[in-house]
Amino acid sequence: MGLFGFKKPADAAALLIDVSSGSVGGAYVSNVKGKPTLHYSARVPIRAHESEELTAAMLRALTELTELLLSRGVPVLKRATGHISIAEVFVSISAPWQESAVRLERIEKKEPFTVSRSVMSEAIAKSVAVPEGRVSTGETVISTVLNGYETANPFGRKARVADFVILASSLPTPVADGVTAALRKAFHSHTIRFTAFPPCAFAVFRDIYPHERQFVVFDIAGAATEIVLVHQGLLASVVSVPLGVGNLTRPHTPPQADAIATTDGVHLVRNTATSGTDLNRSEWMGGIADALRTLSKEYALPRTLFLVADDDAREYLKRALDDAALRQLWLSDEPLTIAAVTTAQFSPYVGVGPEAEGDAVLMMLALYHTKPLDGVGA
């Protein structure tokens, strides 16, 4: 039996793991007075060695993170909860490894039928085959539309037409195996559940901002940008761009007045006109513009944008998204509402213990983890 064993008391903690292309983060979370609370949290930047693949660097950072969670986090968990049991390890992996796609499956019959979990399972069963070399990390029904009307609680209701909006995600098999092996080696837990950023972002922002029916979430990390579009309150599309903050950085540059030092020693340059990073910035902007054009072919682009990014890059990226070259895609001079996502948005809903640090993505994951495992819209 491993360090954490298999005891699952009512207040058992969960271990949350966030894997992005820029860093890996982790936190122990449990319910405190009806509120998910981070007891200990840590984040380790991904620093690739020369000629090293990003996946290898990520797995090395994950191992470093697990060492922190064991050596520093376990004593904190013990003090906070009185035990060191964890019910499960809940892992979110973002682009470029995770691939997510939204599809709609329809169940239609001549006579009204009762929508049940078996009907929903029938819709999910119409799955598209996972490409060779990848493994499914789950298919989630993120919303249900009965006879043309979105329904939060469809079970037991009658309908002639039931549309299930399903988000399917997958990982390269070596990545799923590598992450699983690293976590099992450290925590000896057989309960490891994978998820992806898009369903988490959709569920959390939909619940916190219920009046926002149309919005876009930009998750911009080191080597990738993930774009989640919500249309009429439904998760409509997910696009991944293989360009991230790393495409806007210049390594080994002496500090200048117009540069921001980042955690891995690179410098994110504000003044691209004089910094020599024009090509990098243009490449990133071009990739984002192409993705938005793809989305705009089917949906009107929402004017509310949520930006998820590291603290040291957030303001720069916010200005980049408000660049005239991108604004013209909205075909209007009206200003965009770009909301940088910070811990402040989640502090009313997620507690942060005295020995933890606020982390916006881990706080989002804590909220998403509270969703029912088989709930529609979870």
Side-chain angles (χ1 to χ4, degrees):
M1 184 175 291
L3 172 64
F4 288 90
F6 300 103
K7 179 185 175 186
K8 295 182 180 179
D11 60 345
L15 173 58
L16 309 179
I17 300 291
D18 168 59
V19 177
S20 78
S21 59
S23 65
V24 294
Y28 295 112
V29 60
S30 72
N31 188 301
V32 177
K33 297 180 179 179
K35 190 176 185 179
T37 299
L38 307 186
H39 298 299
Y40 174 83
S41 60
R43 187 164 288 277
V44 176
I46 296 174
R47 299 185 178 95
H49 297 156
E50 186 175 356
S51 301
E52 182 181 33
E53 291 187 357
L54 182 62
T55 296
M58 177 272 286
L59 291 174
R60 192 177 65 256
L62 180 60
T63 297
E64 184 179 344
L65 174 69
T66 61
E67 291 170 354
L68 289 173
L69 290 167
L70 289 172
S71 63
R72 300 183 184 180
V74 166
V76 175
L77 181 63
K78 175 70 173 179
R79 288 192 293 270
T81 66
H83 56 75
I84 57 173
S85 298
I86 57 172
E88 72 170 348
V89 182
F90 190 50
V91 188
S92 172
I93 302 182
S94 302
W97 301 287
Q98 189 87 250
E99 290 184 0
S100 299
V102 179
R103 76 177 193 276
L104 185 145
E105 294 292 352
R106 170 168 291 184
I107 304 295
E108 184 173 7
K109 300 181 181 180
K110 291 182 178 180
E111 298 297 327
F113 60 92
T114 300
V115 179
S116 63
R117 295 191 184 279
S118 63
V119 171
M120 185 174 73
S121 298
E122 179 185 345
I124 294 176
K126 299 178 180 181
S127 60
V128 179
V130 179
E132 185 177 354
R134 300 186 68 85
V135 59
S136 172
T137 52
E139 294 192 330
T140 305
V141 176
I142 52 180
S143 60
T144 303
V145 180
L146 303 183
N147 298 327
Y149 295 92
E150 184 186 4
T151 305
N153 299 301
F155 302 127
R157 296 177 182 270
K158 295 282 188 179
R160 284 189 174 87
V161 180
D163 290 325
F164 296 94
V165 181
I166 300 170
L167 182 107
S169 301
S170 68
L171 288 171
T173 302
V175 173
D177 290 346
V179 170
T180 298
L183 293 174
R184 284 195 172 144
K185 179 179 180 181
F187 303 103
H188 306 278
S189 173
H190 291 278
T191 309
I192 298 175
R193 184 159 61 102
F194 286 94
T195 189
F197 178 80
C200 174
F202 166 66
V204 170
F205 286 115
R206 176 200 58 190
D207 289 354
I208 293 180
Y209 302 101
H211 300 299
E212 291 286 353
R213 303 285 291 172
Q214 329 265 20
F215 60 86
V216 181
V217 181
F218 286 84
D219 179 29
I220 307 176
T225 298
E226 205 156 19
I227 304 173
V228 180
L229 185 143
V230 174
H231 177 72
Q232 295 182 351
L234 303 178
L235 200 167
S237 189
V238 178
V239 178
S240 179
V241 180
L243 302 167
V245 177
N247 294 81
L248 299 169
T249 59
R250 179 177 60 195
H252 311 303
T253 302
Q256 301 175 22
D258 61 350
I260 308 172
T262 66
T263 55
D264 56 358
V266 301
H267 294 83
L268 185 62
V269 182
R270 298 178 187 275
N271 184 356
T272 58
T274 60
S275 69
T277 61
D278 294 39
L279 292 177
N280 287 348
R281 189 174 189 274
S282 295
E283 182 184 23
W284 181 80
M285 295 281 284
I288 300 301
D290 288 344
L292 291 174
R293 287 191 193 96
T294 298
L295 294 174
S296 68
K297 291 178 181 178
E298 191 168 356
Y299 306 98
L301 293 178
R303 307 195 70 79
T304 298
L305 282 57
F306 292 103
L307 169 63
V308 180
D310 290 342
D311 293 346
D312 49 22
R314 191 179 297 129
E315 287 306 313
Y316 175 84
L317 293 171
K318 186 175 179 179
R319 287 193 297 273
L321 290 175
D322 200 33
D323 188 279
L326 292 181
R327 283 204 313 272
Q328 68 181 1
L329 297 174
W330 273 262
L331 305 176
S332 171
D333 293 330
E334 293 182 24
L336 301 175
T337 299
I338 304 176
V341 176
T342 67
T343 57
Q345 278 121 311
F346 309 115
S347 57
Y349 315 101
V350 180
V352 178
E355 297 182 83
E357 292 186 5
D359 183 300
V361 175
L362 290 173
M363 293 169 84
M364 290 173 62
L365 199 56
L367 286 173
Y368 187 55
H369 179 257
T370 64
K371 295 286 184 181
L373 291 180
D374 60 350
V376 174

